[in-house]
């Protein structure tokens, strides 16, 4: 009696968050390496943990003609460029020089799988989760931080030349998506209004989950829908969803409904969902992630490398 009263009061004092374990999902959960360039070994660390989506925050310096990767302008380190921290590493992996997990024949297998056919109705979840020829695609999420997306975007696209020349980029051409073993998705200051009007492009947009009924407006007055040919992934800040508890306390009972609505809406637009902004240090991280998975979210956005194994390999 005394003992159970005591443990009940202890249970009140110690929030259940401390005891939460990752649930066992009934599908592959897609993992995105948030601010990947901050890891000791950008791209490689996350790749070794079976992540296939990597993020770089890039700052264009037009005098140096370089993109530096950094979170803020004052933390720029001139030895760390988009090329050194991301592009060269992705090329090394894809040329089979990094890991036996990715042999050099992999891109060829991906591109030559007979099931890999151009389509006007892409199934992005399937693309990310399974890929083709037994090879999952690599996603580069590029966030332009400098306030010059309209000009710098083109320079960033130009830097993708080595991937483009090898024929590895997923592209939109002749009204169809042609799946490649790499997909480039722009976010942050990336100008969707420059991208959407193009009838041929090898880059995509991280569309605004929750606002997908809006349209992309060009300065000349044209409008384009957020649809699957533009939006392989759609994102929203976790804390911007009502009832999120800022991601710091476990989601309250009303939260699942709110997230579910956003997810269903994104799926109706044939895109995949990513909620970012659950902090690595939050004690509620696993509660939040469990809820997102239960509500059908496709991606988990994380800084914690062990999360992938905790969910996909348990
Ligand atoms: C996983 O479970 C959810 C319900 O929790 C269901 O809607 C979904 O279809 C299931 N997915 C698979 C691949 O079985
Ligand atoms: C991979 O290794 C091959 C053979 O050594 C070399 O020719 C190629 O340049 C390397 N590629 C990268 C991106 O490291
Ligand atoms: C988006 O449009 C669809 C169909 O017109 C509608 O059912 C849905 O409620 C709208 N979503 C939002 C968030 O307004
Ligand atoms: C998406 O919108 C573009 C125009 O931006 C259009 O060309 C394309 O056919 C649409 N695709 C789908 C699947 O609705
Ligand atoms: C989503 O894809 C389905 C078929 O895969 C298609 O019928 C539907 O029109 C698409 N919805 C949108 C909003 O593009």
């Amino acid at each position: 009696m005394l003992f159970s009263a005591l443990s009940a009061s202890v249970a009140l004092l110690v929030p259940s968050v401390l005891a939460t374990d990752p649930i066992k999902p009934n599908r592959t959960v897609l993992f995105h390496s948030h601010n990947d360039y901050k890891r000791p070994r950008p791209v490689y660390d996350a790749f070794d943990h079976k992540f296939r989506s990597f993020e770089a925050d890039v700052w264009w310096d037009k005098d140096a003609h370089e993109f530096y990767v950094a979170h803020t302008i004052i933390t720029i380190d001139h030895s760390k460029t988009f090329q050194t921290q991301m592009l060269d590493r992705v090329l090394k992996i894809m040329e089979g020089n990094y890991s036996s997990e990715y042999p050099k024949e992999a891109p060829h297998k991906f591109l030559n799988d007979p099931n890999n056919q151009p389509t006007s109705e892409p199934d992005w979840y399937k693309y990310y989760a399974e890929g083709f020829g037994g090879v999952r695609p690599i996603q580069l999420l590029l966030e332009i931080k400098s306030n010059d997306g309209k000009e710098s975007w083109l320079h960033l696209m130009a830097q993708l030349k080595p991937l483009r020349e090898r024929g590895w980029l997923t592209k939109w051409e002749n009204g169809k998506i042609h799946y490649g073993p790499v997909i480039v998705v722009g976010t942050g200051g990336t100008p969707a209004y420059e991208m959407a009007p193009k009838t041929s492009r090898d880059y995509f947009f991280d569309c605004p989950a929750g606002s997908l009924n809006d349209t992309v407006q060009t300065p000349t007055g044209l409008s384009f829908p957020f649809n699957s040919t533009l939006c392989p992934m759609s994102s929203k800040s976790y804390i911007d969803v009502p009832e999120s508890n800022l991601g710091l306390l476990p989601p309250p009972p009303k939260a699942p409904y709110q997230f579910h609505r956003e997810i269903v809406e994104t799926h109706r637009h044939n895109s995949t969902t990513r909620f970012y902004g659950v902090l690595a240090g939050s004690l509620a991280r696993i509660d939040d992630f469990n809820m997102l998975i239960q509500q059908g979210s496709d991606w988990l956005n994380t800084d914690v490398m062990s999360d992938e194994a905790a969910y996909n390999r348990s």
Side-chain angles (χ1 to χ4, degrees):
M1 187 67 183
L2 178 63
F3 182 73
S4 66
L6 184 67
S7 57
S9 63
V10 169
L12 281 177
L13 289 173
V14 182
S16 61
V17 288
L18 296 179
T20 307
D21 288 322
I23 56 168
K24 204 170 164 41
N26 61 359
R27 62 192 151 91
T28 301
V29 178
L30 308 175
F31 276 84
H32 173 70
S33 177
H34 173 243
N35 283 348
D36 181 75
Y37 58 88
K38 287 185 171 176
R39 308 238 128 73
R41 295 160 66 248
V43 180
Y44 297 153
D45 287 336
F47 182 88
D48 290 348
H49 286 88
K50 305 210 185 303
F51 286 58
R52 292 294 177 270
S53 179
F54 313 96
E55 177 176 334
D57 290 349
V58 297
W59 300 79
W60 174 239
D61 179 331
K62 71 173 183 303
D63 300 322
H65 218 261
E66 278 291 4
F67 280 99
Y68 298 111
V69 292
H71 197 53
T72 58
I73 197 160
I74 57 164
T75 54
I76 285 175
D77 165 347
H78 287 196
S79 71
K80 295 184 175 169
T81 65
F82 169 65
Q83 170 115 30
T84 62
Q85 305 307 101
M86 185 176 250
L87 190 57
D88 287 349
R89 291 161 191 255
V90 169
L91 283 166
K92 186 163 168 181
I93 290 172
M94 294 188 70
E95 294 206 334
N97 295 350
Y98 176 68
S99 160
S100 57
E101 284 282 301
Y102 200 106
K104 74 170 189 298
E105 309 72 41
H108 180 82
K109 278 191 176 165
F110 186 105
L111 290 164
N112 291 288
D113 181 335
N115 293 319
N116 183 356
Q117 295 297 329
T119 175
S120 56
E121 291 181 350
D123 180 342
W124 291 115
Y125 172 77
K126 191 166 190 288
Y127 167 75
Y128 288 121
E130 296 170 19
F132 290 97
V135 179
R136 289 182 61 197
I138 288 176
Q139 170 166 269
L140 311 185
L141 182 67
L142 307 182
E143 177 166 353
I144 299 181
K145 293 283 220 178
S146 39
N147 197 12
D148 56 5
K150 191 174 173 350
E151 306 90 64
S152 62
W153 177 245
L154 291 175
H155 295 290
L156 191 55
M157 292 305 99
Q159 293 210 356
L160 301 171
K161 190 172 169 210
L163 294 168
R164 188 173 291 125
E165 281 176 344
R166 287 164 175 77
W168 290 347
L169 294 171
T170 292
K171 58 193 179 189
W172 159 245
E173 216 168 73
N174 302 322
K176 297 211 161 142
I177 297 291
H178 301 250
Y179 294 121
V182 191
I183 185 163
V184 176
V185 176
T187 191
T190 302
Y193 58 86
E194 294 282 322
M195 193 184 284
K198 298 201 187 304
T199 52
S200 169
R201 57 177 157 74
D202 51 18
Y203 34 86
F204 295 83
F205 193 62
D206 179 26
C207 294
S211 310
L212 298 177
N213 281 356
D214 295 354
T215 52
V216 181
Q217 302 286 336
T218 68
T220 56
L222 300 173
S223 78
F224 296 88
F226 289 113
N227 68 21
S228 61
T229 43
L230 184 63
C231 316
M233 180 167 82
S234 299
S235 304
K236 181 162 183 160
S237 168
Y238 186 91
I239 68 176
D240 286 348
V241 178
E243 311 292 340
S244 70
N245 264 345
L246 305 178
L248 297 174
L249 288 173
K254 285 181 180 163
Y257 166 76
Q258 298 286 352
F259 283 90
H260 190 74
R261 260 185 5 162
E262 305 271 359
I263 293 164
V264 167
E265 178 80 1
T266 303
H267 288 168
R268 211 178 51 72
H269 285 83
N270 296 325
S271 186
T272 59
T273 46
R274 178 181 70 113
F275 295 93
Y276 57 89
V278 173
L279 302 175
S282 167
L283 290 178
R285 189 178 92 257
I286 297 297
D287 300 81
D288 296 339
F289 284 0
N290 286 351
M291 184 273 294
L292 289 173
I293 291 171
Q294 279 164 339
Q295 298 313 316
S297 189
D298 304 282
W299 292 93
L300 291 183
N301 184 85
T302 187
D303 303 88
V304 180
M305 295 285 97
S306 56
D307 283 347
E308 201 280 343
Y311 282 105
N312 282 337
R313 265 150 259 289
S314 52

